Coordinates of all heavy atoms in Angstrom, one line a residue:
P777 N 11.6 -11.5 17.3 CA 11.3 -10.1 17.4 C 12.5 -9.2 17.4 O 12.5 -8.2 16.7 CB 10.5 -9.9 18.7 CG 9.9 -11.2 18.9 CD 10.9 -12.2 18.4
E778 N 13.6 -9.7 18.1 CA 14.8 -8.9 18.1 C 15.4 -8.8 16.7 O 15.9 -7.7 16.3 CB 15.8 -9.5 19.0 CG 15.5 -9.4 20.5 CD 14.5 -10.5 20.9 OE1 14.1 -11.3 20.1 OE2 14.1 -10.5 22.1
E779 N 15.4 -9.9 16.0 CA 16.0 -9.9 14.6 C 15.2 -9.0 13.7 O 15.7 -8.2 12.9 CB 15.9 -11.3 14.0 CG 17.0 -12.2 14.6 CD 16.8 -13.7 14.2 OE1 15.6 -14.2 14.1 OE2 17.8 -14.4 14.1
A780 N 13.8 -9.0 13.8 CA 13.0 -8.2 13.0 C 13.2 -6.7 13.3 O 13.2 -5.9 12.4 CB 11.5 -8.6 13.1
A781 N 13.3 -6.4 14.6 CA 13.5 -5.0 15.0 C 14.8 -4.5 14.4 O 14.8 -3.4 13.8 CB 13.5 -4.9 16.5
A782 N 15.9 -5.3 14.5 CA 17.2 -4.8 14.0 C 17.1 -4.7 12.5 O 17.6 -3.7 11.9 CB 18.3 -5.8 14.4
F783 N 16.5 -5.7 11.8 CA 16.4 -5.7 10.4 C 15.6 -4.4 9.9 O 16.0 -3.7 9.0 CB 15.7 -7.0 9.9 CG 15.5 -7.1 8.5 CD1 16.6 -7.3 7.6 CD2 14.2 -7.2 7.9 CE1 16.4 -7.4 6.2 CE2 14.0 -7.4 6.6 CZ 15.1 -7.5 5.7
G784 N 14.4 -4.3 10.5 CA 13.5 -3.2 10.1 C 14.1 -1.8 10.3 O 14.1 -0.9 9.4
A785 N 14.6 -1.6 11.5 CA 15.2 -0.3 11.9 C 16.4 0.0 11.1 O 16.7 1.1 10.6 CB 15.5 -0.2 13.4
G786 N 17.2 -1.1 10.9 CA 18.5 -1.0 10.1 C 18.1 -0.6 8.6 O 18.7 0.4 8.1
L787 N 17.2 -1.3 8.0 CA 16.8 -0.9 6.6 C 16.3 0.5 6.5 O 16.7 1.2 5.6 CB 15.8 -1.9 6.1 CG 16.2 -3.3 5.7 CD1 15.1 -4.1 5.1 CD2 17.4 -3.4 4.8
A788 N 15.4 0.8 7.4 CA 14.7 2.1 7.3 C 15.8 3.2 7.5 O 15.8 4.2 6.8 CB 13.6 2.3 8.3
G789 N 16.6 3.0 8.6 CA 17.7 4.0 8.8 C 18.6 4.2 7.7 O 19.0 5.3 7.3
A790 N 19.0 3.0 7.1 CA 20.0 3.1 6.0 C 19.3 3.8 4.8 O 19.9 4.6 4.1 CB 20.4 1.6 5.6
G791 N 18.0 3.5 4.6 CA 17.3 4.1 3.4 C 17.2 5.6 3.6 O 17.5 6.3 2.6
L792 N 16.9 6.1 4.8 CA 16.8 7.5 5.0 C 18.2 8.2 4.8 O 18.3 9.3 4.2 CB 16.2 7.8 6.4 CG 14.7 7.5 6.5 CD1 14.2 7.7 7.9 CD2 13.9 8.3 5.5
A793 N 19.2 7.5 5.4 CA 20.6 8.1 5.3 C 21.0 8.1 3.8 O 21.6 9.1 3.3 CB 21.5 7.3 6.1
Y794 N 20.7 7.1 3.1 CA 21.0 7.0 1.7 C 20.3 8.1 0.8 O 21.0 8.8 0.0 CB 20.7 5.6 1.1 CG 21.2 5.4 -0.3 CD1 22.6 5.0 -0.4 CD2 20.5 5.5 -1.4 CE1 23.1 4.8 -1.7 CE2 21.0 5.3 -2.7 CZ 22.3 4.9 -2.8 OH 22.9 4.7 -4.1
L795 N 19.1 8.3 1.1 CA 18.3 9.4 0.4 C 18.9 10.7 0.8 O 19.1 11.6 -0.1 CB 16.8 9.4 0.9 CG 15.9 8.3 0.3 CD1 14.5 8.4 0.9 CD2 15.8 8.4 -1.3
A796 N 19.3 11.0 2.0 CA 19.8 12.2 2.5 C 21.2 12.5 1.8 O 21.5 13.6 1.3 CB 20.0 12.3 4.0
A797 N 22.0 11.4 1.7 CA 23.3 11.5 1.1 C 23.3 11.7 -0.4 O 24.2 12.4 -1.0 CB 24.2 10.4 1.5
T798 N 22.4 11.0 -1.1 CA 22.5 10.9 -2.5 C 21.4 11.6 -3.3 O 21.5 11.9 -4.5 CB 22.5 9.4 -3.0 OG1 21.2 8.9 -2.7 CG2 23.6 8.6 -2.4
V799 N 20.3 11.9 -2.6 CA 19.2 12.6 -3.4 C 19.0 14.0 -2.9 O 19.5 14.9 -3.4 CB 17.9 11.7 -3.3 CG1 16.8 12.3 -4.2 CG2 18.2 10.3 -3.8
S800 N 18.1 14.2 -1.9 CA 17.9 15.5 -1.4 C 17.1 15.5 -0.1 O 16.6 14.5 0.3 CB 17.0 16.3 -2.4 OG 15.7 15.7 -2.4
L801 N 17.1 16.6 0.6 CA 16.4 16.8 1.9 C 14.9 16.6 1.7 O 14.3 15.9 2.4 CB 16.8 18.1 2.5 CG 16.1 18.3 3.9 CD1 16.7 17.3 4.9 CD2 16.4 19.7 4.4
P802 N 14.3 17.3 0.7 CA 12.9 17.1 0.5 C 12.4 15.7 0.3 O 11.5 15.2 0.9 CB 12.5 18.0 -0.7 CG 13.6 19.0 -0.8 CD 14.9 18.3 -0.2
A803 N 13.2 14.9 -0.5 CA 12.8 13.5 -0.7 C 13.0 12.7 0.6 O 12.2 11.8 0.9 CB 13.7 12.9 -1.8
T804 N 14.0 13.0 1.4 CA 14.3 12.3 2.7 C 13.1 12.6 3.6 O 12.6 11.7 4.3 CB 15.6 12.8 3.3 OG1 16.6 12.7 2.3 CG2 16.0 11.9 4.4
V805 N 12.7 13.9 3.7 CA 11.6 14.3 4.6 C 10.3 13.6 4.2 O 9.6 13.0 5.0 CB 11.4 15.8 4.6 CG1 10.2 16.2 5.4 CG2 12.7 16.5 5.2
A806 N 10.0 13.5 2.9 CA 8.8 12.9 2.4 C 8.9 11.4 2.8 O 7.8 10.8 3.2 CB 8.7 13.0 0.9
A807 N 10.0 10.7 2.6 CA 10.1 9.3 3.0 C 10.0 9.1 4.5 O 9.3 8.1 4.9 CB 11.5 8.8 2.5
A808 N 10.6 10.0 5.3 CA 10.5 9.8 6.7 C 9.1 10.0 7.2 O 8.6 9.2 8.0 CB 11.4 10.9 7.4
L809 N 8.4 10.9 6.6 CA 6.9 11.2 6.9 C 6.1 9.9 6.6 O 5.2 9.5 7.3 CB 6.5 12.4 6.1 CG 5.3 13.1 6.6 CD1 5.7 14.0 7.8 CD2 4.7 14.0 5.5
T810 N 6.4 9.4 5.4 CA 5.7 8.1 4.9 C 5.9 7.0 6.0 O 5.0 6.3 6.4 CB 6.2 7.7 3.6 OG1 6.2 8.8 2.7 CG2 5.4 6.6 3.0
F811 N 7.2 6.9 6.3 CA 7.5 5.8 7.3 C 6.8 6.0 8.6 O 6.2 5.0 9.1 CB 9.1 5.8 7.4 CG 9.6 4.9 8.5 CD1 9.7 3.6 8.2 CD2 10.0 5.4 9.7 CE1 10.2 2.7 9.2 CE2 10.5 4.6 10.7 CZ 10.6 3.2 10.4
V812 N 6.9 7.2 9.2 CA 6.3 7.4 10.5 C 4.8 7.2 10.4 O 4.2 6.6 11.3 CB 6.7 8.9 11.0 CG1 5.9 9.2 12.2 CG2 8.2 8.9 11.3
A813 N 4.2 7.8 9.4 CA 2.7 7.6 9.2 C 2.3 6.2 9.1 O 1.3 5.7 9.7 CB 2.2 8.4 8.0
Y814 N 3.1 5.4 8.4 CA 2.7 4.0 8.2 C 3.0 3.2 9.5 O 2.1 2.4 10.0 CB 3.6 3.4 7.1 CG 3.4 1.9 6.8 CD1 2.1 1.4 6.8 CD2 4.4 1.0 6.6 CE1 1.9 0.0 6.5 CE2 4.3 -0.3 6.4 CZ 3.0 -0.8 6.4 OH 2.8 -2.2 6.2
V815 N 4.2 3.3 10.1 CA 4.5 2.4 11.2 C 4.0 2.9 12.5 O 3.5 2.1 13.3 CB 6.1 2.3 11.3 CG1 6.5 1.5 12.4 CG2 6.7 1.7 10.0
F816 N 4.0 4.2 12.8 CA 3.7 4.7 14.1 C 2.3 5.3 14.2 O 1.9 5.7 15.3 CB 4.8 5.7 14.6 CG 6.1 5.0 14.8 CD1 7.1 5.2 13.9 CD2 6.3 4.0 15.8 CE1 8.3 4.5 14.0 CE2 7.5 3.4 15.9 CZ 8.5 3.6 15.0
V817 N 1.6 5.6 13.1 CA 0.3 6.2 13.2 C -0.7 5.1 12.7 O -1.6 4.7 13.5 CB 0.1 7.5 12.4 CG1 -1.3 8.1 12.6 CG2 1.2 8.5 12.8
Y818 N -0.6 4.7 11.4 CA -1.6 3.8 10.9 C -1.6 2.4 11.6 O -2.6 1.9 12.0 CB -1.3 3.6 9.4 CG -1.9 2.3 8.8 CD1 -3.3 2.2 8.6 CD2 -1.1 1.2 8.5 CE1 -3.9 1.1 8.0 CE2 -1.7 0.1 7.9 CZ -3.1 0.0 7.7 OH -3.6 -1.1 7.2
T819 N -0.4 1.8 11.8 CA -0.3 0.5 12.4 C -1.0 0.4 13.7 O -1.9 -0.5 13.9 CB 1.1 0.0 12.4 OG1 1.6 0.0 11.1 CG2 1.2 -1.4 13.0
P820 N -0.7 1.3 14.7 CA -1.5 1.1 16.0 C -2.9 1.5 15.9 O -3.7 1.0 16.7 CB -0.7 2.1 16.9 CG 0.1 3.0 16.1 CD 0.3 2.3 14.8
M821 N -3.3 2.2 14.9 CA -4.8 2.6 14.7 C -5.6 1.4 14.3 O -6.9 1.5 14.4 CB -4.9 3.7 13.7 CG -5.0 5.1 14.2 SD -5.3 6.3 12.9 CE -7.0 6.4 13.0
K822 N -5.0 0.4 13.7 CA -5.8 -0.7 13.2 C -6.7 -1.4 14.2 O -7.7 -2.0 13.9 CB -4.9 -1.7 12.5 CG -4.3 -1.2 11.2 CD -3.3 -2.1 10.6 CE -3.8 -3.4 10.0 NZ -2.7 -4.2 9.4
T823 N -6.2 -1.4 15.5 CA -7.1 -2.0 16.5 C -8.0 -1.1 17.2 O -8.8 -1.4 18.0 CB -6.2 -2.6 17.6 OG1 -5.3 -1.5 18.1 CG2 -5.3 -3.8 17.2
K824 N -8.0 0.2 16.7 CA -8.8 1.2 17.4 C -10.0 1.7 16.7 O -11.1 1.8 17.2 CB -7.9 2.5 17.7 CG -6.6 2.2 18.4 CD -6.5 2.6 19.8 CE -5.4 2.1 20.6 NZ -4.3 1.3 20.1

Side-chain angles (χ1 to χ4, degrees):
E778 290 80 2
E779 287 169 326
F783 180 66
L787 287 187
L792 289 174
Y794 191 79
L795 285 175
T798 65
V799 183
S800 68
L801 182 65
T804 312
V805 170
L809 203 75
T810 310
F811 172 77
V812 169
Y814 177 47
V815 177
F816 296 107
V817 183
Y818 162 73
T819 301
M821 262 183 95
K822 289 171 72 177
T823 51
K824 310 251 168 2

